[in-house]
Amino acid sequence: MNKSATKVLATLERVGGFASAQEVFQKLERDGDRIGLTTVYRALQSLLSDKIVDVLRREDGEAIYRLCGDQHHHHLVCKNCGDTVEIEGGAIEKWAKVMAEEHGFRDIGHTAEIFGLCSKC
Amino acid sequence: MNKSATKVLATLERVGGFASAQEVFQKLERDGDRIGLTTVYRALQSLLSDKIVDVLRREDGEAIYRLCGDQHHHHLVCKNCGDTVEIEGGAIEKWAKVMAEEHGFRDIGHTAEIFGLCSKC
DNA sequence: TTTAATGCAAATACTTTGCAGGAAA
DNA sequence: TTTCCTGCAAAGTATTTGCATTAAA
């Protein structure tokens, strides 16, 4: 793995969840790392083909990456004030696993998010 | 619903599965329908906000649409071939409700999707 | 020296928006 | 008229690619 890929990987580790190429690029830039956007994209592709990271799509189609096997959590988001709570997703993990097995899917991942109005709003 | 939205809807019906805006546009064009790409996009957005169609993302980030039943369901998507299975989400509904209550959220909704490799891939 | 990595700029693809003309109410 | 619909062209965004430069081996 080359230097850029290592930096990108470290950034994803620091984020601890999903981040898009653009976000990784911005974080590195803010830290004073001189790295090009192209290089970030290429590093992510390389990490992807080495199965070190996982890719998903956001609602708007932007690709988001995260470390494979990373413990992940879910979010409870207030649709009024944007306040976000990190929550446990044990039930989801189980559900995803059962559903996948039932339909012969393997190598699975999932996304889940709850949105509503928080107590303050 | 206006004339364009009806045409787009009919096209999705004819396709009987997922189709991107670009594909809907091409199919209509081939059939001699004089309709602009912009109008197709706007029709799809309108159908989407009326919850008449469902949207998902292909691997490359292109948005794909299809008619959706009125029942709330979730998707199990193959990240290689895009094959999609509609699945039950009873466990999710319960989880979302419990989590929301626990944190004082109300008026909630949720999204959940599972992705992986299907048996053919 | 020989190879691989880098990054700017241009190209590409999907999608949205501004705007002016046209249809409908 | 007044409002909505339409579609071209332009803008916007994420991503990839061509190519010349630079770093590394």
Side-chain angles (χ1 to χ4, degrees), chain B residues 1-10 28 33 35 39 43:
Chain B
M1 181 169 351
N2 66 35
K3 214 177 290 181
S4 297
T6 307
K7 278 185 196 171
V8 168
L9 199 54
L28 284 168
D33 265 305
I35 190 170
T39 303

Side-chain angles (χ1 to χ4, degrees), chain B residues 31-44:
Chain B
D31 290 355
D33 265 305
R34 277 187 275 95
I35 190 170
L37 180 57
T38 308
T39 303
V40 172
Y41 272 107
R42 283 198 273 238
L44 284 169

Side-chain angles (χ1 to χ4, degrees), chain A:
Chain A
M1 184 173 346
N2 64 35
K3 215 178 285 180
S4 298
T6 307
K7 279 185 194 170
V8 168
L9 198 54
T11 305
L12 284 177
E13 255 162 19
R14 198 151 56 80
V15 167
F18 286 103
S20 69
Q22 308 275 349
E23 286 164 356
V24 168
F25 170 66
Q26 282 167 23
K27 278 191 198 305
L28 283 169
E29 220 179 17
R30 261 186 242 117
D31 290 356
D33 265 307
R34 277 188 275 94
I35 190 170
L37 180 56
T38 307
T39 304
V40 172
Y41 273 108
R42 284 197 273 237
L44 284 169
Q45 278 178 342
S46 151
L47 292 170
L48 196 59
S49 68
D50 290 347
K51 293 186 198 303
I52 294 169
V53 303
D54 228 6
V55 66
L56 257 183
R57 292 275 167 183
R58 271 213 259 268
E59 288 252 319
D60 68 350
E62 194 178 5
I64 48 179
Y65 305 82
R66 73 162 170 195
L67 295 178
C68 278
D70 209 20
Q71 278 300 81
H72 71 276
H73 51 257
H74 298 277
H75 291 125
L76 179 52
V77 187
C78 177
K79 53 187 171 185
N80 184 238
C81 70
D83 221 20
T84 302
V85 184
E86 284 187 9
I87 53 179
E88 263 291 307
I92 300 284
E93 323 289 324
K94 221 173 293 174
W95 171 75
K97 209 169 154 190
V98 170
M99 284 298 168
E101 271 168 13
E102 210 167 277
H103 292 90
F105 278 59
R106 63 214 140 81
D107 202 6
I108 61 160
H110 64 269
T111 59
E113 211 159 278
I114 310 177
F115 46 91
L117 288 173
C118 74
S119 47
K120 282 173 289 185
C121 294

Side-chain angles (χ1 to χ4, degrees), chain B residues 21-98:
Chain B
Q22 307 275 349
E23 287 164 355
V24 169
F25 171 67
Q26 282 167 25
K27 279 191 198 301
L28 284 168
E29 220 180 16
R30 259 185 243 120
D31 290 355
D33 265 305
R34 277 187 275 95
I35 190 170
L37 180 57
T38 308
T39 303
V40 172
Y41 272 107
R42 283 198 273 238
L44 284 169
Q45 278 178 342
S46 152
L47 292 170
L48 196 59
S49 68
D50 291 347
K51 295 183 200 299
I52 295 169
V53 302
D54 229 5
V55 67
L56 262 182
R57 294 275 167 181
R58 273 212 259 268
E59 273 280 290
D60 68 350
E62 194 177 4
I64 48 178
Y65 306 82
R66 72 155 172 198
L67 296 177
C68 69
D70 36 11
Q71 278 191 341
H72 179 70
H73 56 257
H74 296 278
H75 292 124
L76 179 52
V77 188
C78 177
K79 54 186 171 184
N80 184 239
C81 69
D83 222 21
T84 303
V85 184
E86 283 187 11
I87 51 178
E88 264 288 308
I92 300 285
E93 324 288 324
K94 222 172 291 173
W95 170 75
K97 210 169 155 188
V98 170

Side-chain angles (χ1 to χ4, degrees), chain B residues 92-111:
Chain B
I92 300 285
E93 324 288 324
K94 222 172 291 173
W95 170 75
K97 210 169 155 188
V98 170
M99 284 298 169
E101 271 167 14
E102 209 167 279
H103 292 90
F105 277 59
R106 60 213 143 81
D107 200 7
I108 60 160
H110 65 269
T111 58

